Amino acid sequence: ALIESAKRAAARQAVADHFDPRATHVGIGSGTTIVYVVEAIKEVATDPTIRFVPTGYQSRQVIIQAGLTPLAFDSLPPEVILDIAFDGADEVDQDLNCIKGGGACLFQEKLVAERARKFVCVADYRKKQDRLLTKWPTIPIEVAPIAVPTVLADLRILGSPNPKLRTTLLEKSGPLKTDQDFFIIDAPFPSLLIAADVAAGKGKGDGSDGTWEVNRLATAIKELTGVLEVGIFSGLNGIEAEAIRQKEGGKTV
Ligand code: DER
């Protein structure tokens, strides 16, 4: 209940601070926190012409169940930029870089995030860490099924000790399929350096000494043949994280 109330608080804060009822196109991410974001938007979105762009099957369902109108990303007129996009994250570092893909929707999430004038990451206190891969152990990577064996081998060469194909529990035996009918590989790496760490000589950040800086690792993985998208979001224009801290006894911890 504490975590749900923290998610709801982060969501309501983010909508109160950033949602403009005059918006015409709004990106809606995936996961559980986004449900609270849509709930809060529903309370203030009076204009029936606003269109909500989903980031996958679940996101579209959340929009429809709230009685809002979805508009598929590939139906967007090419000149249209989204006023704002809201989404969750699995972990957020002090430079507002995010690990995303816990819900296996990272490809459409990145498409939508990069199409928005402002990207608002809504994350409760558990997600906020100094460096990425502190609590969340792996980088989700969307891969063409046929390329899985080579991408697994390539990730080991980049320094991932034990990259794994994501399988589903209970629902279906075998690998999980994304909305693009691709597979997800979860690749563990040691916690990632931020740019300031490299500048301070804490590591080269290019994998040569076992350390990786966020952007360099994201680029190195993205360049592997067979990789569609990497679950590291960084340097997005206007990315703002609403990480609501847990309140204990009325004080912020
Ligand atoms: O998969 C994603 O990137 C989602 O945004 C997700 O990780 C956030 O999920 P949550 O809001 O249920 O924690």
Side-chain angles (χ1 to χ4, degrees):
L2 181 66
I3 290 175
E4 290 313 305
S5 62
K7 286 181 185 178
R8 183 190 298 270
R12 302 191 73 81
Q13 180 85 48
V15 171
D17 290 352
H18 300 289
F19 179 74
D20 179 344
R22 291 165 302 172
T24 56
H25 294 84
V26 177
I28 296 295
S30 313
T32 59
T33 307
I34 200 69
V35 176
Y36 297 119
V37 169
V38 172
E39 211 176 77
I41 288 178
K42 178 68 182 165
E43 289 171 18
V44 292
T46 47
D47 180 348
T49 65
I50 298 184
R51 292 294 171 266
F52 294 87
V53 180
T55 51
Y57 186 91
Q58 179 244 349
S59 168
R60 187 171 183 280
Q61 292 302 99
V62 169
I63 293 166
I64 291 169
Q65 273 149 21
L68 300 171
T69 308
L71 175 67
F73 181 81
D74 52 353
S75 302
L76 274 172
E79 72 281 358
V80 167
I81 302 291
L82 308 184
D83 301 280
I84 190 168
F86 293 92
D87 200 347
D90 300 306
E91 199 164 74
V92 185
D93 74 14
Q94 54 186 292
D95 283 354
L96 302 182
N97 301 305
C98 304
I99 293 286
K100 285 178 64 48
C105 296
L106 63 126
F107 176 60
Q108 292 189 35
E109 288 174 338
K110 194 167 276 189
L111 281 174
V112 168
E114 292 186 345
R115 185 72 171 268
R117 211 177 307 288
K118 176 190 273 191
F119 177 70
V120 177
C121 172
V122 188
D124 61 79
Y125 61 92
R126 295 169 302 160
K127 318 290 185 70
K128 200 170 169 66
Q129 302 295 338
D130 277 345
R131 300 288 182 282
L132 292 185
L133 299 186
T134 295
K135 259 178 73 180
W136 191 272
T138 56
I139 299 174
I141 303 159
E142 185 157 349
V143 184
I146 191 170
V148 163
T150 48
V151 171
L152 286 169
D154 291 345
L155 286 165
R156 287 184 187 283
I157 293 168
L158 290 182
S160 178
N162 181 22
K164 275 204 191 116
L165 188 56
R166 188 181 299 182
T167 56
T168 59
L169 300 174
L170 303 179
E171 292 88 7
K172 167 183 175 292
S173 57
L176 168 142
K177 284 247 174 165
T178 68
D179 289 315
Q180 289 66 245
D181 243 359
F182 271 32
F183 286 168
I184 296 285
I185 287 175
D186 292 301
F189 279 92
S191 70
L192 302 182
L193 302 183
I194 57 173
D197 295 329
V198 177
K202 289 185 182 158
K204 293 210 179 88
D206 60 4
S208 64
D209 60 354
T211 69
W212 278 106
E213 184 270 331
V214 180
N215 292 287
R216 290 188 206 177
L217 181 56
T219 304
I221 296 173
K222 185 72 184 279
E223 283 169 355
L224 299 177
T225 306
V227 169
L228 176 66
E229 195 47 83
V230 187
I232 293 177
F233 283 39
S234 64
L236 279 169
N237 55 328
I239 182 171
E240 311 210 8
E242 298 286 344
I244 296 292
R245 290 189 173 278
Q246 173 185 351
K247 291 206 182 323
E248 271 171 357
K251 65 181 185 346
T252 303
V253 296

